[in-house]
Each structure stands twice: as C-alpha cells, then as structure tokens.
Amino acid sequence: MQKIRNIAIIAHVDHGKTTLVDKILHSCSIFRDNEQTGELILDNNDLERERGITIVSKNVSVRYKDVKINIIDTPGHADFGGEVERVLKMADGVLLLCDAFEGAMPQTRFVTQKALALGLKPIVVVNKVDKENCRPEEVYEQIFELFFNLEATEEQLDFPVIYGSSKQGWMSTDWKVPTDNIFPLMDAILENIPPAPISEGTLQMQITSLDYSSFVGRIAIGRVARGTIKENMAVSLVKRDGTIQKSRIKELYTFEGLGKVKATEVSSGDICAVVGIEGFDIGDTIADFDKPEQLEVIHIDEPTMNMLFTINTSPFFGKEGKFVTSRHLRDRLYKEMEKNLALKVIETESPDSYLVYGRGILHLSVLIETMRREGYELQVGQPQVIIKEIDGVKCEPVETLIVDVPGEVAGKVIELVTQRKGDLLVMEPKGDLQHLEFEIPARGIIGLRNNVLTATGGEAIMAHRFKSYEPWKGNIPGRSNGVLVSMDTGKTTAFAIDKLQDRGRFHIDPGVDIYEGQVLGEHIRDNDLVINLTKGKQLTNMRASGSDTNVRIAPAIKFSLEESMEYIQADEYIEVTPQSIRMRKIFLNENERKINAKKFVNQ
C-alpha cells in the first residue's frame, strides 16, 4: 500500500484555491523559518500576479503524517477550462472550494461536472466563513443539490464537508468552532481520498502537462497509470492519432515541495516529470517499448470564439517590438498550441494572417498580453463567435450568465442583458444583493461587462460559462456611438483637444504620437468623425484681448486590452506592441474607408 494521495483543488474564480495551497505548504513546513515566501506562491508569472488569477495549473507536493500528497492547483475562469480538464486526469480526488457567501457559481458547476464524470472522490470545503453575511449551511445545501443534479453516485453524494477560512489559516468540521490550524482538512484528505492505486503490468503514462527548461528542452509531466517508469528505459510514445515513435527516457523527476527531485524509478500512482522524449504533445501516452498500449485521449471542449491575428501594418510598425514578421507570429502561435489545448490556429488565404480559436475573450487576451510582453508586435481583429450548422439550422454558442447586483440597480442590468437577446431565468434575493440568472448568446457578452459595471457603479459581480449551441437568436445591436478618427500623422496638441472636446470623449492625451486612421476617442453621435488633433495655436503677434484662456482637458479614458477587444467593430483593428495598445481603422485613408465601407455592413 503506497502512501500517495493525488488531489486537485477546483473552484470558481476568487474562491481561495491558491491561498489554500499557500497555507497547506506553510503548515506542512516546506519552508525554512527564515525564508521569505510572500503570498500566492503558485501564481508565479507576472500576469497571474497582476490580475490576481490563476491561468496555468501547477502541481506541488507536501508530506503529512508520512503520506505524500500531490496537490494540483487549477484556474477558476471558464476560459481556462482546458487546463482543468486535462489535469483532473492526474487526480484521485478533488477539493471543491466554495465561497461561504457566493455559493455555487457557474464555474463551480463546470469543474464539478468534469470531476464527477471522471469518478473522483470529492471533499467540499466551504471557505471564507469569516465573511459578513456568510451562509455556510445554505451553501452546503446548494452544493448537495448541485451534486444531485449532476447525477453524482451514492458514494460521491456522501461527501465530507470542512468549514474554514484559508486566508486566516484555519479549518474545522464545524464553522462555529474555529481552530488555529488547517490539520482537520489534511486529516479529511487522508481519510477520504483513496490512495493512488498500484497497477501492475506494462508501462502506461499519459502526458497531461509540460514544462520547459533552457538546459534540457521540453519536459513531459504526467501520472504513471500502470507499471513502473525507470531512468534510461526504452519506451514507445503513442501519439494522439495512434502513430508510435520509439524513444528513451534520459532523466526522471518527482515533485517534492515546490521543486523537483531526481528519481531512478517511479511506480504507478505518482506524478513525475520525464526528460528526453522528443516531439510529444499533451494527451500522448508513454508506453512499453515492445507492447505499447494507448490510454484514452483527453477530450477537450471545443473553442467558442475566434479572432484574426495579423502582422502590424501601421505607420509605427517595428518601432517598439523585436518580433514583427509573419514568420515570428506563426512560430509563436504554433508553439502556444503545444501546451494550450483549448486553442486552435488556422491559416487564412493571406500569408500574414491567422485565425486563432479560443474559449473566450479572457483566454485570447492572456495570449496576446503574453506575446506583447515577449516583444511581439501584432494586430488583432474583432472577436467573432463560432457559428455551426446543426441539422440544417444555423446555431451559435449560448452562455449561462449570473449577475449579483444591489437590488436598486437590478432593473438596469436586466434591461442591458435583454437588449442583447438574453432571457431572464432566475431572480432571487441573496443576502443584500439580487441574484440574476440569464441565458444569453456568447455574442451578447462581448462588450457587456463594461456597460453593466457603468450602470451599476461598479458593484455588479458577473460570471458566465458556456452552455450549448442553440439556434441563432437574431441581430444584436453593436456599439451605439461612432468614433473620432485621426486625419493626420503627428503629435497631439492640448489646443486641438480642448477645441474638440464637445465632439466626444478622447482616449488619448496631449503630446502623443498618432497616425492617420487611428481611433482617438468616441463620438457623441452614431457616425465616425475625422478630426485633426495635431493642429497647434497660431503663434502670431496679433492678439485679441481676453482670448488666451487656460486649456482645461477632461482626462483621457484609457482602455485595457480586453476592453479594447470588446469595443472595436468589424472595420477596426487593435495594434498591440510591447509598450502601447492602439485602436485603428483597417483602412487608414478616409477615401479607402468609404470605398470599402460596404464590406463591413453585413458582418
């Protein structure tokens, strides 16, 4: 009987997964007493730290009461569902975290469904019971109902529940009796999660994750499903399509704490990293040299959205980025496909453009943001949903949208969502908030978050997840206002911005380089207006008395990458470089725009 437990931590975004892993690492004394560790230890790349979300799943291991526990931390956003789906294959049980106030959210349902379908044993952790207005008992009932609706087995329905606050570092079987440590949770893991089974026989190991080292290249990570894997062993690599490549394992590592430890052999049930195998992809099986047997290939839900990625063609091209050609762009996108399973790249008729398919705006924007930080320059078009024909009917992706808002602004939210072809299904009080549930086409969610946050004074909590493909719901109104477009190339002047403030709101400050065709702001009317922001004041010695007033300019409205993606229309691009994000028209010249205007009317 080996002493290994493999658990994945799953939850909706912001319910405290990574914080809980921090506390487990500390309480199992992974660190020296004088070691500086900081918070959210596993969110180790810059983007994750800035946004406060987990993007890539990671695994660590701790030892508790002589048992090795492999812990897999997963992302909470539906857009990164592909990460969750593949790493659940490595686990024997899951810790389902749930916020004691918010309860079961859309992503909770999504990840729970995947875990129950794989037959994993759940432990429910009702987290954040130190919050005001928390309702642990109601949340427990809600989760039980969720499990029942997802057709959990009798054994899965008999789940243990632990209450606590991972931020304050305590867990208990009764939320009214706080403890001073998280050991009740660790004991529950040892009691309830089955030990990793030992399967005798020839080797089988599925690659579910990959790592990269500049010394040894790509490293395959996965769980040994059967047999034993040894250093320097000859193996077969069975690809997803069934083709077999012969290979040899150079080095083996197991996970200890936050790092890896070299091993000579790893038996079934443990998670390990393998060095030396060439040309593998996620989902491939490492099998016996003579009698290779393939494990079931990981099935990932299909993407629901696509965007056009193209090289930067603006007048400012090549000024800020290192990688600007179509070859650089192509190589980077294909490299991303190796580890990002939910992503698909398709070449278009133009050699400079690629259609990139992903799970949602956040999924694609994280890729774009990562690329610009690596020094790439590119342009992206408006996000489009993927339309399918099912039984001769044109169908589009429909999402379940949940919004929690203060009661007095619930009417505004309902109005905004129904304008975008959303149907209100549930409206009920939840603490001092109103809980709304809608079904809405995925097209309708693009650009909705900004409007909802503006209408509710930033108090709305929104979450959505893909539901299914349903018949086309008809046209959805786009952006209601036109944009202000630059007539000239040069530097903006405060004088020109001041004189044109009554035409709309600007996205740009004085003294910034702009080019012809760049989008500078939002027009007050529904048509586009071409303006000149580079005009300076006439510096003659003629002066009228009292005309020299101070320039008073409203602050520019700065858009983040996601907001820009939701804002642009079919005839616009976002130019993304390592230092700036600019919106522009596809055709920079005004006459060309008029000639090609008909192209974008039907889109």
Side-chain angles (χ1 to χ4, degrees):
M1 174 96 167
Q2 57 181 355
K3 298 187 171 178
I4 296 177
R5 304 282 192 279
N6 297 316
I7 57 163
I9 299 190
I10 57 175
H12 186 77
V13 62
D14 260 357
H15 281 196
K17 295 178 290 301
T18 308
T19 310
L20 179 62
V21 177
D22 283 2
K23 293 296 185 255
I24 292 176
L25 289 171
H26 281 294
S27 62
C28 293
S29 55
I30 289 288
F31 307 107
R32 300 188 310 274
D33 294 340
N34 61 350
E35 201 168 339
Q36 294 289 317
T37 54
E39 291 192 337
L40 302 178
I41 300 156
L42 287 195
D43 284 352
N44 52 11
N45 77 33
D46 295 343
L47 255 182
E48 292 183 318
R49 288 204 168 277
E50 280 168 32
R51 292 170 182 244
I53 59 172
T54 304
I55 294 170
V56 183
S57 56
K58 309 172 193 68
N59 45 324
V60 293
S61 84
V62 297
R63 290 202 176 269
Y64 177 71
K65 291 188 178 171
D66 204 25
V67 176
K68 179 180 180 183
I69 303 175
N70 287 317
I71 301 167
I72 306 156
D73 183 26
T74 63
H77 275 276
D79 284 21
F80 307 119
E83 288 282 318
V84 183
E85 286 169 42
R86 63 186 171 82
V87 295
L88 284 179
K89 285 268 181 129
M90 295 201 276
D92 294 305
V94 290
L95 285 188
L96 173 63
L97 251 75
C98 208
D99 186 304
F101 171 66
E102 289 185 357
M105 296 289 277
Q107 185 64 11
T108 317
R109 185 186 180 93
F110 172 80
V111 287
T112 308
Q113 192 170 1
K114 300 285 174 199
L116 293 179
L118 287 169
L120 302 178
K121 174 79 177 150
I123 294 179
V124 172
V125 180
V126 178
N127 194 17
K128 304 192 183 183
V129 295
D130 53 325
K131 258 188 173 181
E132 291 174 30
N133 305 349
C134 71
R135 41 193 196 118
E137 277 105 351
E138 277 179 56
V139 170
Y140 171 70
E141 296 293 331
Q142 204 180 1
I143 292 173
F144 187 85
E145 203 171 303
L146 173 69
F147 275 47
F148 185 75
N149 292 340
L150 293 175
E151 297 174 0
T153 61
E154 293 268 326
E155 192 189 354
Q156 286 171 329
L157 280 173
D158 185 23
F159 56 82
V161 61
I162 303 282
Y163 300 94
S165 162
S166 46
K167 193 170 184 183
Q168 293 181 353
W170 65 268
M171 290 284 158
S172 169
T173 46
D174 183 350
W175 67 280
K176 293 172 187 152
V177 187
T179 58
D180 56 359
N181 57 46
I182 62 162
F183 295 136
L185 173 64
M186 306 303 287
D187 291 330
I189 291 172
L190 298 192
E191 282 166 33
N192 296 287
I193 303 290
I198 298 176
S199 308
E200 298 294 339
T202 54
L203 171 66
Q204 271 188 319
M205 167 182 159
Q206 189 157 44
I207 300 169
T208 46
S209 192
L210 56 89
D211 201 352
Y212 182 80
S213 151
S214 47
F215 298 108
V216 295
R218 295 168 75 218
I219 302 169
I221 298 172
R223 173 181 167 176
V224 184
R226 191 176 74 190
T228 307
I229 189 165
K230 296 178 182 165
E231 200 175 29
N232 215 13
M233 179 181 188
V235 292
S236 301
L237 179 71
V238 186
K239 305 287 289 174
R240 291 174 80 103
D241 57 6
T243 54
I244 295 170
Q245 297 174 8
K246 301 298 181 187
S247 190
R248 183 174 290 278
I249 288 162
K250 289 182 186 160
E251 291 178 345
L252 267 183
Y253 294 89
T254 56
F255 291 89
E256 283 289 337
L258 293 171
K260 301 187 188 80
V261 179
K262 202 162 180 186
T264 49
E265 65 174 65
V266 178
S267 56
S268 63
D270 205 354
I271 296 171
C272 66
V274 179
V275 175
I277 290 182
E278 295 293 322
F280 66 84
D281 292 307
I282 288 173
D284 295 353
T285 306
I286 298 174
D288 186 60
F289 187 77
D290 300 319
K291 291 187 198 159
E293 290 176 47
Q294 186 175 16
L295 283 161
E296 188 189 344
V297 177
I298 302 171
H299 169 70
I300 297 286
D301 287 356
E302 293 205 350
T304 57
M305 197 167 275
N306 68 17
M307 278 176 88
L308 186 75
F309 279 50
T310 175
I311 58 169
N312 189 3
T313 54
S314 85
F316 293 169
F317 125 94
K319 284 188 175 179
E320 297 173 1
K322 285 190 295 194
F323 309 111
V324 294
T325 65
S326 56
R327 181 179 60 83
H328 286 137
L329 181 64
R330 183 181 189 280
D331 291 351
R332 178 66 182 82
L333 289 174
Y334 278 91
K335 187 177 156 204
E336 185 68 26
M337 264 170 56
E338 289 177 358
K339 63 176 190 291
N340 199 334
L341 280 196
L343 200 78
K344 261 185 10 198
V345 177
I346 292 177
E347 299 191 10
T348 62
E349 292 159 8
S350 154
D352 299 336
S353 307
Y354 301 90
L355 267 181
V356 179
Y357 289 74
R359 277 283 181 88
I361 292 236
L362 188 68
H363 187 203
L364 292 166
S365 77
V366 164
L367 168 63
I368 298 166
E369 183 66 44
T370 311
M371 285 172 69
R372 72 179 274 231
R373 289 179 186 215
E374 290 169 5
Y376 285 83
E377 273 192 21
L378 66 151
Q379 290 179 157
V380 293
Q382 184 189 25
Q384 306 281 350
V385 298
I386 296 166
I387 292 156
K388 287 183 176 176
E389 195 162 294
I390 302 170
D391 302 333
V393 180
K394 180 179 172 186
C395 292
E396 63 173 332
V398 171
E399 309 228 348
T400 302
L401 171 72
I402 290 186
V403 190
D404 289 340
V405 286
E408 61 273 14
V409 285
K412 289 181 185 171
V413 175
I414 294 169
E415 185 185 346
L416 283 169
V417 178
T418 45
Q419 277 171 0
R420 291 162 174 265
K421 302 279 188 272
D423 296 326
L424 179 65
L425 304 177
V426 177
M427 182 174 182
E428 59 191 21
K430 178 173 165 186
D432 48 4
L433 297 178
Q434 205 64 20
H435 175 78
L436 310 171
E437 286 185 29
F438 301 92
E439 269 181 18
I440 181 171
R443 290 175 299 141
I445 288 182
I446 300 174
L448 178 66
R449 183 178 294 274
N450 270 351
N451 297 351
V452 167
L453 290 176
T454 309
T456 59
E459 291 201 29
I461 302 165
M462 283 176 68
H464 57 90
R465 71 179 176 91
F466 172 68
K467 178 177 170 265
S468 60
Y469 271 86
E470 290 181 15
W472 181 261
K473 299 269 200 278
N475 281 338
I476 291 176
R479 191 173 66 199
S480 53
N481 292 22
V483 287
L484 302 170
V485 185
S486 173
M487 176 194 293
D488 215 347
T489 302
K491 259 195 171 42
T492 55
T493 64
F495 173 76
I497 291 179
D498 180 45
K499 292 285 178 269
L500 289 165
Q501 281 192 112
D502 57 346
R503 293 280 178 236
R505 303 183 304 170
F506 287 100
H507 302 154
I508 208 138
D509 292 312
V512 175
D513 284 315
I514 58 169
Y515 53 81
E516 181 188 3
Q518 187 176 332
V519 173
L520 305 175
E522 187 175 271
H523 191 197
I524 49 173
R525 298 213 169 91
D526 59 358
N527 61 321
D528 294 350
L529 182 69
V530 180
I531 56 171
N532 183 357
L533 280 193
T534 59
K535 199 169 81 174
K537 192 172 194 176
Q538 290 298 312
L539 299 177
T540 64
N541 57 3
M542 296 288 287
R543 281 284 179 272
S545 64
S547 67
D548 270 4
T549 51
N550 283 339
V551 175
R552 285 199 186 89
I553 298 175
I557 297 164
K558 297 285 192 243
F559 276 19
S560 69
L561 179 60
E562 274 114 69
E563 287 168 340
S564 306
M565 286 162 69
E566 293 184 338
Y567 185 76
I568 61 169
Q569 296 296 302
D571 64 337
E572 290 159 3
Y573 276 157
I574 305 168
E575 177 192 349
V576 182
T577 70
Q579 284 155 33
S580 32
I581 294 171
R582 303 182 187 97
M583 289 182 278
R584 54 159 281 187
K585 291 288 183 185
I586 292 178
F587 295 101
L588 298 177
N589 183 284
E590 190 183 357
N591 290 334
E592 282 185 28
R593 281 203 295 279
K594 285 178 177 166
I595 294 165
N596 291 287
K598 287 196 179 81
K599 273 189 186 177
F600 303 110
V601 171
N602 302 324
Q603 291 200 14

